Amino acid sequence: MQYETWTINEVRDGETVAVTKGATQDEAVLAIRRAMYGEGDAFGHAATDVHELPLAA
C-alpha cells in the first residue's frame, strides 16, 4: 500500500505564514475547501458528523 502525505502552505498577502507537513489527503482537501469557501462552508465537515434536531412534542 502506498501512503501519501501533503504539505500545506498558508499564504497571506503573498507571504507564507504557516507550513503543515505530513497532512493526510482529507486534511489537504479540507484546507483547500476552507481556502475556497471560508470557514463557514456547510459542506466542509466530515460525512460522519451528526446534527441532532429537536423533537416536536
Side-chain angles (χ1 to χ4, degrees):
M1 177 182 277
Q2 180 180 359
Y3 295 97
E4 291 184 11
T5 59
W6 297 74
T7 300
I8 303 168
N9 296 311
E10 184 176 343
V11 178
R12 289 191 186 149
D13 298 325
E15 299 290 327
T16 300
V17 295
V19 176
T20 303
K21 293 185 179 183
T24 65
Q25 182 175 354
D26 290 339
E27 292 168 332
V29 169
L30 183 58
I32 293 167
R33 288 191 68 87
R34 285 183 179 152
M36 291 174 61
Y37 302 112
E39 294 288 330
D41 180 18
F43 298 104
H45 301 290
T48 57
D49 288 352
V50 177
H51 301 282
E52 294 185 19
L53 299 174
L55 297 175

